Amino acid sequence: MRRLLPDPAADVDIEAAYAVPPGTPWLRANMVSTVDGSVTDAERVSGGISGPADKALFASLRAMADAVLVGAGTVRAERYRPAALPIVIVSRRLDLDLTTPLFTEASQRTVVITAVDAPAQLLDATAEVADVIAVGEGIVDLSAGLAELRERGLAHLICEGGPTLLGALLAEGLVDELCTALAPMVVGGSAGRIVNGPWLSDEAWHLRQLLETDGFLFARWERP
């Protein structure tokens, strides 16, 4: 993998290129899209627009983090499974399949962030197989949820989407860094973008780094 910006280099170490000081509270989002802006292929999953380089970076960024933060819709669409680090799901309605390996086979209990007024029966059922953080009424209080995660020692979080969760996090100014992978393909169709939700500030983000391999462009953007 070569670096194009800020200082060109023929080969870079991924861990060094994406390092964050240990123990620093940090929320990094990692998303892939095509040249024409699609976040999925025709089957509505991101795997079809990924590649070996993107998957390697995906694994490396996970390895650097304390936990994965992901929306319930993405968990269902991408069929999430247990990982080496905790999976934290954000779900207002708790419409989760609690019989999947993510809840029955995880070596570290899955964490679910939801609202305090989520359906009581679903709250009880979820609490039997996962750690539940209930914050906010009517909507999930993301700021309070992240604060609770960090009190548990999960300082460095990697958000893997989906677009609605990422949009909500950005709207509240909770994302420190956005890592984007631009796949060298055009798929057409009607899939959405990496962010969905309210209009956000037009303040420019800082392009900290740009890498390239196999036609993929990997950008590291930091919040202004």
Side-chain angles (χ1 to χ4, degrees):
M1 187 175 289
R2 64 187 178 119
R3 182 168 57 228
L4 304 178
L5 294 171
D7 52 326
D11 191 24
V12 296
D13 178 79
I14 293 300
E15 291 192 9
Y18 285 88
V20 172
T24 302
W26 196 255
L27 176 54
R28 167 185 282 160
N30 183 40
M31 302 290 285
V32 61
S33 65
T34 63
V35 171
D36 59 328
S38 176
V39 293
T40 72
D41 61 9
E43 302 301 320
R44 300 290 178 175
V45 293
S46 63
I49 63 172
S50 184
D54 177 49
K55 291 175 181 177
L57 180 58
F58 176 92
S60 295
L61 294 183
R62 269 197 174 192
M64 298 177 199
D66 297 317
V68 173
L69 184 67
V70 63
T74 298
V75 168
R76 290 189 295 270
E78 304 287 346
R79 299 179 181 178
Y80 267 56
R81 297 186 60 83
L85 69 172
I87 304 294
V88 181
I89 304 170
V90 178
S91 177
R92 168 67 183 89
R93 298 189 300 271
L94 292 180
D95 47 349
L96 305 167
D97 184 350
L98 303 179
T99 67
T100 63
L102 190 55
F103 296 100
T104 62
E105 299 178 12
S107 58
Q108 302 183 67
R109 275 169 69 96
T110 294
V111 180
V112 176
I113 302 179
T114 189
V116 295
D117 56 348
Q121 186 175 0
L122 294 179
L123 271 172
D124 292 341
T126 304
E128 291 183 4
V129 295
D131 290 343
V132 174
I133 298 174
V135 283
E137 291 189 17
I139 61 171
V140 177
D141 186 334
L142 294 172
S143 181
L146 297 190
E148 174 63 27
L149 292 176
R150 283 158 179 161
E151 286 184 6
R152 300 182 181 199
L154 305 177
H156 182 176
L157 305 171
I158 178 79
C159 176
E160 296 174 355
T164 300
L165 174 59
L166 181 53
L169 291 166
L170 286 166
E172 294 192 30
L174 298 174
V175 178
D176 298 295
E177 176 181 337
L178 178 58
C179 296
T180 58
L182 186 65
M185 60 184 70
V186 176
V187 299
S190 58
R193 301 179 300 160
I194 65 172
V195 177
N196 180 32
W199 290 100
L200 304 172
S201 167
D202 58 0
E203 189 173 11
W205 283 51
H206 171 62
L207 178 58
R208 178 171 178 178
Q209 175 179 268
L210 184 63
L211 309 179
E212 185 276 335
T213 190
D214 297 334
F216 278 79
L217 287 174
F218 300 99
R220 188 178 179 187
W221 302 90
E222 285 192 0
R223 187 178 65 188

